[in-house]
Structures are given as structure tokens and as C-alpha cells.
Amino acid sequence: MKKLILGLAFAGSLLVNAQEKTKSASPITFGVKAGFNASTLSKYDGNGEYDNDQKLKPGFNAGVFVHIPVADKFSIQPELLFNQLGSKTEEREEFYVNSDRYRRDVDYKKTLNYLTLPVMVQYHILPQLYVEAGPEFGFLLGGKDKGDITVSKNSGNTTTTQTTTFSEKIVKDLYNRFNFGMGIGAGYYFTDNFGVTARFTAGITDIYKHNSADAIRNNAFQVGVAYQFK
């Protein structure tokens, strides 16, 4: 991840140099952005006494963008971002072995790291205010599952509880490397350079390769700041 962040920083410095060279000849501008993600995975409901509850997981995004005006009020903005997605999951299961009742509680966070390429079409309501929509293409870099498993056994009047903690990398062979989604958002620039952004991206492709049940998709709400080099 450190190499990726350094790579994005290097790309940003290249964009600054490119912007200096093209400032007087082109309306195209370059910039950097970063922000907060609140992500989740589309919910899968088990059956019987099994309950799977997906909750929002915090993460972050950071990268570079190119702002390309194409008409009076329209522009296109491709971006290259490191994007941290995933979800926070609570699983609850009860089952019996002979006359003993067991309860299994699993609380964990699934972090999925992507290199994403959003291509946003922006409409400028005002010179400083815009709305946007467009596709997002992603490539899975890796990820991690981290959390706790608690198993309670009720046998007559006696209850015993055992908790274990786990942290392990995801098995990338089980996941689709390519991710596709659609985003919609808005932004406001307080100055020619500095602005704030908000976007919701809904996943379309399944994150898993071999999933015979309902598709599990990435969903994320993002808020952040952007800086254009002008």
C-alpha cells in the first residue's frame, strides 16, 4: 500500500508539472483529491436461524484527476483513485447439538482495496457548483478480514463462552479482480482551486467469482476535498 500511495503522489507531481506547461494553452486542469468512504456490501439474507447484517465500514480514497471542459456547462473528469471499500458484518447463528444450545456471533470487517477509474460527466449549474454521473471501473488489489468469533454453549443451567480473534488476507482467487459500478454526485468549489465533493457509487458486478446466490456488490458513499492546479 505504501508503494501505491507513493505512486499516486508521484503521479500528482507529474500532473502539477503538466499543468504548468499547459496552463496558458488549454482549459484542461489537473488536480488531487482525497476523502472518506462509508461502504457496505449488498445484503445477503440466510435462511433458518441464520442472520447476516451488513453495516457501513469506514475507509478512505485518494488520487488524481483531470478536468476536461467539453461544452459551455459540461465537462468530463477521469480520475485515478486508491479506493478502500468493504463492509462491517454481524453474523448470528443458533444451533443444537443433542440437547445443548449453541450461539455463534461473528463481528468482522471486510476491507477490499481497489484501484479505481471513475469517468464522471459533470454539468455545471453554476461556475462553482456541479452535479455528476458516470461509470467507475475498478481493479482489486487485495484485502483483509478482521474480527472476533464468540461461541456460547448453553447446557442445562451452565453457559460457557469462548471468543477468538482473527485477521487474515482475503483469498483473491475467490474474488473478481474487475469491479464495475455507476456513480452520481455533486461538488462545490469555494475558490478556483479548492472544493468539496460528495458521491454515491453503486456496484453492478458481483465481487465473488463463483456465487450461485444473489450477487454481492460494492456500495459506497464518499465525501472529500479536491484541489485543482490553476
Side-chain angles (χ1 to χ4, degrees):
M1 185 182 295
K2 290 182 179 179
K3 292 182 179 179
L4 177 63
I5 294 174
L6 289 174
L8 290 173
F10 178 69
S13 66
L14 291 179
L15 290 180
V16 174
N17 292 332
Q19 177 66 18
E20 291 298 323
K21 293 179 181 180
T22 61
K23 184 183 295 183
S24 60
S26 172
I28 295 174
T29 56
F30 301 87
V32 295
K33 63 182 303 187
F36 170 81
N37 289 349
S39 63
T40 187
L41 298 173
S42 58
K43 186 176 180 181
Y44 169 69
D45 289 324
N47 48 38
E49 295 179 325
Y50 177 75
D51 178 39
N52 184 339
D53 189 13
Q54 303 284 347
K55 297 184 180 297
L56 293 175
K57 183 193 78 69
F60 72 95
N61 66 84
V64 295
F65 64 87
V66 182
H67 185 79
I68 308 171
V70 294
D72 184 32
K73 291 183 177 292
F74 286 92
S75 58
I76 296 176
Q77 182 166 295
E79 304 172 357
L80 183 63
L81 305 174
F82 173 79
N83 224 346
Q84 198 174 62
L85 304 177
S87 71
K88 182 179 180 182
T89 303
E90 297 178 357
E91 297 179 358
R92 305 289 181 256
E93 182 182 14
E94 291 188 356
F95 57 94
Y96 287 84
V97 177
N98 297 323
S99 60
D100 297 333
R101 182 170 65 88
Y102 289 81
R103 178 180 173 89
R104 181 175 179 269
D105 298 333
V106 183
D107 297 296
Y108 71 96
K109 292 180 180 179
K110 179 183 292 293
T111 299
L112 300 173
N113 298 320
Y114 286 90
L115 185 65
T116 60
L117 177 65
V119 182
M120 295 290 114
V121 177
Q122 298 179 340
Y123 175 75
H124 293 263
I125 302 172
L126 300 171
Q128 69 273 29
L129 175 66
Y130 67 86
V131 293
E132 64 180 7
E136 178 178 285
F137 309 92
F139 180 78
L140 179 65
L141 301 174
K144 179 182 288 188
D145 291 325
K146 183 178 181 180
D148 301 310
I149 301 175
T150 300
V151 178
S152 300
K153 175 185 176 182
N154 189 300
S155 181
N157 295 324
T158 303
T159 300
T160 57
T161 301
Q162 182 179 5
T163 300
T164 57
T165 299
F166 64 91
S167 179
E168 54 194 20
K169 293 182 179 180
I170 64 170
V171 181
K172 288 196 288 185
D173 289 341
L174 301 178
Y175 292 76
N176 285 314
R177 292 295 184 92
F178 175 76
N179 185 69
F180 178 72
M182 293 296 295
I184 184 170
Y188 184 86
Y189 275 84
F190 295 98
T191 69
D192 288 343
N193 303 101
F194 179 78
V196 293
T197 64
R199 181 182 301 165
F200 175 76
T201 302
I204 294 176
T205 55
D206 196 330
I207 68 170
Y208 292 109
K209 282 184 179 179
H210 310 291
N211 182 12
S212 58
D214 294 339
I216 307 297
R217 303 181 178 93
N218 285 303
N219 297 289
F221 178 70
Q222 303 169 321
V223 292
V225 296
Y227 187 89
Q228 288 191 105
F229 300 102
K230 289 188 175 182

